[in-house]
Amino acid sequence: MIKEVISIKGAPEAIGKYSQGIRIGNVIYTSGQIPLDPKTGNLISGGIKAEIRQVLDNLDAVLKGGGSSLQSVVKLTVFVTDLAYFPDLNEVFREYFVKEPPARSAVQVSALPMGVRIEIEAVGSIE
């Protein structure tokens, strides 16, 4: 199988030496996304729910760039700096995943890039 790098303008540019996503066969693996505005490159404000929405929108853009979408995600890994955000995470996920939500892991970590509170990575299938 051929490995294809996903690099799109609709999602934040990588802030290190990595790809936004990789497509191999009918599967897309995204790098972790944080609440960066892809237009400005700045962190968004507005509270944890707004941050979660931005992260999910960024993931959706990367997935669509590879021929998938958030609705075709099979697994999400969520990194948060405080598991107290778990109810907010579930509330926003109910908005984005009305039917057949993906498998998900959520872990608390001591720190994330740029001091953010949340980062999410995805594994999606090609539609």
Side-chain angles (χ1 to χ4, degrees):
M1 287 187 208
I2 298 171
K3 179 174 91 170
E4 177 186 336
V5 173
I6 300 168
S7 180
I8 61 161
K9 297 288 184 200
E13 292 183 23
I15 57 174
K17 184 66 178 156
Y18 59 89
S19 300
Q20 291 172 322
I22 297 289
R23 177 179 174 169
I24 188 156
N26 288 328
V27 179
I28 294 178
Y29 300 89
T30 73
S31 292
Q33 291 291 315
I34 60 176
L36 284 173
D37 180 331
K39 294 176 187 163
T40 66
N42 296 324
L43 293 171
I44 63 130
S45 58
I48 190 67
K49 290 179 190 175
E51 294 170 22
I52 296 165
R53 287 183 187 102
Q54 184 65 59
V55 170
L56 292 173
D57 290 345
N58 291 346
L59 283 171
D60 194 39
V62 174
L63 290 159
K64 284 179 178 173
S68 186
S69 75
L70 212 51
Q71 298 311 309
S72 295
V73 165
V74 295
K75 174 72 165 77
L76 292 170
T77 305
V78 179
F79 306 94
V80 291
T81 55
D82 190 338
L83 281 175
Y85 303 132
F86 203 73
D88 298 311
L89 186 68
N90 283 330
E91 184 177 327
V92 174
F93 271 46
R94 281 196 241 359
E95 297 170 16
Y96 281 75
F97 304 105
V98 177
K99 296 179 183 178
E100 300 177 357
R104 180 183 83 187
S105 300
V107 295
Q108 181 172 316
V109 296
S110 63
L112 289 166
M114 298 179 71
V116 300
R117 300 185 283 183
I118 186 159
E119 179 176 357
I120 304 175
E121 62 184 28
V123 178
S125 63
I126 303 299
E127 300 173 335

